[in-house]
Amino acid sequence: MASAGIYSARSPNPSREPQSDRQSVPAFKSIRSLPGEFRFMESPTSRPLEEVEHVNGGFTGNGILEEDERDAADESDQVGYDSPYGRNAQAEEGTPNDQLDAIVSPLPSTPSLLIESKWSDTASYVKKKNLHAWYQPQNGDWKLAKIISTSGTDLIISLPEGKVLRVQADVLLPANPDILDGVDDLMQLSYLNEPSVLYNLQYRYDRNMIYTKAGPVLVAVNPFKRVGLYGNEYIEGYKRKSIESPHVYAIADTALGEMRRDEVNQSIIISGESGAGKTETAKITMQYLAALGGGSGIEYEILKTNPILEAFGNAKTLRNNNSSRFGKLIEIHFSETGKISGARIQTFVQCAEGERSYHIFYQLCAGAPPVMREKLKLKRVEEYKYLCESNCYTVSGVDDTEEFHNVMEALDVVHVNKDEQQSAFAMVAAVLWLGNVSFTVTDNENHVEPVVDEALLSVAELMSCSMEALQLALSTRNMKVGNDIIVQKLTLPQAIDARDALAKSIYSCLFDWLVEQINKSLSVGKRRTGRSISILDIYGFESFERNSFEQFCINYANERLQQHFNRHLFKLEQEEYIQDGIDWARVDFEDNQDCLNLFEKKPLGLLSLLDEESTFPNGTDLTFASKLKQHLKSHPCFRGERDKAFVVSHYAGEVTYDTTGFLEKNRDLLHTDSIQLLSSCSTILPQIFASSMLTQSEKRVVGPLHKSGGAESQKLSVATKFKAQLFQLMQRLENTTPHFIRCIKPNNLQSPGIYEQALVLQQLRCCGVLEVVRISRSGFPTRMSHQKFARRYGFLLQDNVVTRDPLSVSVAILHQFQILPEMYQIGILEDTRNRTLHGILRVQSCFRGYQARRSLQELKKGISTLQSFIRGEKTRKEFAVLLRRHRAATVIQKHVKGKNTRKRCAEVTKAAVVMQAVIRGWLVRKCSGNIGLLNLVERKASESDEVLVTASYLAELQRRVLKAEAALRHKEEENEILQQRLCQYENRWSEYELKMKSMEEVWQKQMRSLQSSLSLAKKSLAADDLGRRSDASVNTGEEREYSGDTNSTIFKSHETNGVRSMSASLSIINRLADEFEQRRQVFGDDAEFLVEVKSGQADASLDPDREFGRLKRQFESWKKDYAMRLRETKAILDKLDSEGRTTPDKARKKWWGRKNTSRLT
C-alpha cells in the first residue's frame, strides 16, 4: 500500500519503560463517551496498568511516583477487577456509533443523566484508596468532594464547605491526584473528564498561566488584563528553546520551523467566541514572527497594519470591546533565508456593526486636528444619527484621540500619502453625514425627496458631486423595462434604505481600498519564494437573544472552520489508520457535517432557499420562514419556531434566528443610480468605488429565477458572495499545515479573575478539546512512510541497502534493533539516530573547525602582509608630502626674513642719512655763521651801531638754539621708538632680556636727566640772551639820538667783549650736544647689536653677557665724565651771564648819567 508506513505508540517516558517489560501492545478497544449530556467524560479502557502508569502517572520533582500511584501499582494484581484500568476491564459495547453522533450536548442539567457511566466499576477501588471525586450539585458547578465511605452503590462524600452528602456512585467522576494540578498539557491528566479539564484550566488561569496544551491544540484563556508573558525576553527564550511552557510563541515557532524544514506552507487558525481574544492572539503571533523573521524592515509595516484594520473593521459589541466585524487572513511570505519578504491580507464580507459603530468614526470625531475638522465639517459624536442610536460613545480604557494618532502614523508607515488619507477621511465623514440626511413627503403617495440642509450640502461637498445628482440618487430609482427606462419615485422607507445602502457601500469599498493599499505596500514582488505562514483571525461563534442575518453568516463560517478542524484532527488521522490496516477503534466525536449540509445543500439548503426567496419581488421574511419550515422540517439540525423564527443546531449549541430583515440584508440594495452618482464625483476615490461596484454588479446569478426589476435582481447576493469567499479560504487552508489555537472567554463581563465554569465548558465542547486529547493520547502521533523511514534511518544498518526496497529496509532496521512488530517505537530509533548523528556532527565540527582555524590563520597572515605594504606605502607618501612642505616652509621663511631684514636696514639707513644730513647741515651752518659773525664784528667795530649788530647776532643764535632743540626733541622721539622696539624684543626672551630691559631703562632715565639739564641750560641762556637783546636795542636808539664822543668808545669795547663771550659759550654747548648725539648713537647701536646676537638674528664670536657688562661700564664712565663737564659748562655759562649783566648796567648808568647831565645843562 502506498500510504503504508511505520507508526509508533506514544510513550512520554521511554526511559522508564524498558523494552523487555513490554511484550505486547493490546488492541485498542472501542471507547464510548459517557452518555447523556456529558459526551466528554472519561470511560475505562483496556490498557494495562503498567502502560497507564507510564502514560498518565504523575511524578514528583525527584522522579518518585506519588504514594497513591505507587500503591496502585503494588495492588494491581489483587484488585485489577476493581480498577477501571485493570486487565479484565472491558468497555461497554452495544451502543451504535450513529446514536452517539446524533447526541446534542447542551449544558449539563441534572446528575440523573449520568446513570450509564462506568464509575460504579471503581467503587471498591475508590473506597480502598480514599480518593477525591467530582460532584455536580444542582447549581451546575462542579465541586471536588472527598469520599468518606461506601455502601454498595451509595457513597458518602464531603464537600469543600463541609457539607456531607450521600450520593449514588454513578453521579461522581474521578479526580486527578494533586501532583497533576495545573499541568500544562491536558494529555498528562490521569482522568480525562470535563470537571478535571475545567479545574486544570481554572488552576492555571488563577495563576496567570493562560496557555494550556490540549494535544496539538493550544487553549488560550482570555485574562482580560495585561500579563507578563510577552516581550523580548520570552521571544528569545522560545527561540532558543529554553522555555517549553505552552505559548502562542511556541505555536508560531513550530510553524516557522516546519515551514523551513519541510518547505510547506503553514497556517495558524485562531478561533473562539467573540471576546475570547482572537485579535490579540493574532497580533502576538505576528510579533513573534516579525521578531524571528525581521531584518528587511517590512515586518514593522506588517505590525502597523493592525491599528488600521482594527479602526476601520472593529466595533464594540455587547460581548467584546474590540470585536472584529470582518474576517482576515494575513499571509506572511518568507525568503529563502527565513526572513520576512512581504505579506498579503485577504478580508471577507463585513458584518453589520454591533452595539457601537466602527472605531474610526469615534476616533475621527475625537482626534482630528482643527484644520481637518473644519475641512470635513466634523461635529460631536452625539450629533450624528448613525452614532447616537446606541448611546455608547466611548470604550472603557481606550483613548480615541490617541488611537486616531496611531492610525495616522500607521497610514504613513504603509505608504498612504496625505492626499489619499484626506480623501479616505472625507469618505468617512460623508458616511456620517449621510445618516443625518432627512426626507420630506411631496405627494399623497408618500413619495419623498431629500431636505436641502447642512447634512445634504456636506455630503455633496465631501463627495465632490452635484446637489441635484445626490437628490435624485436618494429619492428616485431608474428601472429598465425592455428598452425603456422608467423613473420610479421612492417612498420614505425605500429612500431610507437607499441612503443606508449607499453609506454601507461607500464604507465597504473604502475598507477594501485600504486593504488594497496595504497589500501594495507589503507586496512581495520578485522576492516571493512560495513559503508562507497564514494567520486566520475571523469572527467567532455568536449567539444572542435575537440573532439576525449577521449571526447567521458568522455561525455558518464557524461551522465550516470547525469542519476543517475536525477533518485534520479527527477524520484524516483515523481514516489513515483504517486504510493502513492499523489495529484501531474509532474515537467518537461531534461531526458537524449534517449542519453544513443544512446550510449548503442544493436546492433545499438554507442558503439556496434564502437566495431563491430574495429574487422574488413579493418575497417577505415571513414567506421565507414558512418556506424553511416546509422544506427542512425533517432535518435533524433544523427546528421551526413560531412566526419568523427558526432554530439551527450548531456544533456549539442551538441558536434561534429571527428572519426579520434577512431578505433585505441578503439583497444588494445598491442600484445603478448610486453607482452613477459615485462615478460622477470629481474626486478619484469615489470613482474607484464606482468602478469596483460596477465590476461586482456584472457577476450574474446563474439559474432560471429571474423576475422583473432590472439588473439589480441578477446581482450576487450577500450570502452567495460570503459562501464563495469562505470556500476560497478553505481551499487555501487545505494547502497548508494547520496549527490550531482555541481562545476561551472565561466570563461575559470582560473582567479579570472571574471564571464561569458553564461558559468555559460550553466553549470546550464547541471546540472538541477532550476528543482531541483522547485521539492524541490514544493514537499514533508519529507516522512515516516507508520511503521516508528508510531514508531517515537507513544509514544505521550494518549491511549495504542500496538494492533494497524501502519496505525491506524498514523491516531490517526494526529487526536489527530487536523491535517487535507489535511494539514499533520510532522514539528508540530516533535516539539512536540522534546519537549517531551527534557523533558524526562532532567529528565534522572538529575537522571543519580545524580547517576554519587554519584558513583563518592564513587569511590573517595574508591580511597582515597586505596591510604592512599598504601602510608602508601610505607612510612614505605622507613623509614625502611632509618633506616638501618643510622645504617650502623653509624657503618661505628665508624670503620673509630677508624681506623684513632689508626693510629694517633700509629704514635704519634712511634714518642715518637724515640724521647725517641734519648734523652736517647744522655743522656747515655753524661754521659759516661763525665766520660771517667775525667778519661782521670786525667791519662794524668802528661803527656806531655795534650794539644793533650784536642784537641781531643774538637773535640768530637763539634761532639756531631753538632749531637744535627741535632736532633734539625729534631725536628723542626716535629714541622713544627705538626703546619700544627694544621692549618688544625684550618681552620675547628670558629673564636676561628682562634684566637688560631694566638696565636700559635706568640708562634712558639718566640720559633724560642729562638732556633735561642741557635743556635747562639752553633755556637759561636763551632767557639771558633775550634780556640782553632788549637792553641793547634801547641803548642803541638812545645812543643814536644822544651819542657823545667820550662814552661811545667805552661802550663799544664792552659790547665787543660780550659778543666774544657769547660766541665761546655757544661753541661749548654745541660741542657737548654733538658729543651727546654721537655717544647716544654709539651706545644704541652696540645695545641693538648685542640684542640681535642674543636672539640669534646676528652671528658673532663674542659673549653677549660679557660685552653688555663692558658696554654698561663704559656708559657709566662716560656718564660721569659728561655730567662733570656739563656742570663745569653750566658754571662757566652762569659766570658769563653774571658778567654780561654787570657790564651793560654800568655802561648804561654812565651813559644815562651823562645824558641827563647834558640835558640839564
Side-chain angles (χ1 to χ4, degrees), residues 216 267 269 561-574 730 733-740 775 783:
S267 62
I269 302 174
L561 289 176
Q562 181 65 23
Q563 179 66 17
H564 180 73
F565 177 81
N566 295 341
R567 173 178 170 79
H568 280 272
L569 295 184
F570 300 145
K571 289 185 177 180
L572 294 181
E573 186 166 359
Q574 298 192 78
M730 291 298 106
L733 293 179
E734 285 292 339
N735 296 327
T736 63
T737 300
H739 305 267
F740 296 96
I775 291 180
R783 299 178 297 276

Side-chain angles (χ1 to χ4, degrees), residues 812-825:
I813 293 172
L814 295 172
H815 288 172
Q816 177 176 321
F817 289 92
Q818 299 179 357
I819 301 177
L820 298 179
E822 298 85 1
M823 302 174 63
Y824 290 161
Q825 294 193 30

Side-chain angles (χ1 to χ4, degrees), residues 962-976:
L962 293 176
K963 187 175 181 180
E965 291 177 350
L968 183 61
R969 285 194 299 272
H970 179 69
K971 297 303 179 180
E972 290 176 350
E973 292 176 356
E974 291 181 352
N975 192 20
E976 292 285 339

Side-chain angles (χ1 to χ4, degrees), residues 373 503 579 636 769:
R373 296 183 66 88
Q579 291 177 3
V769 169

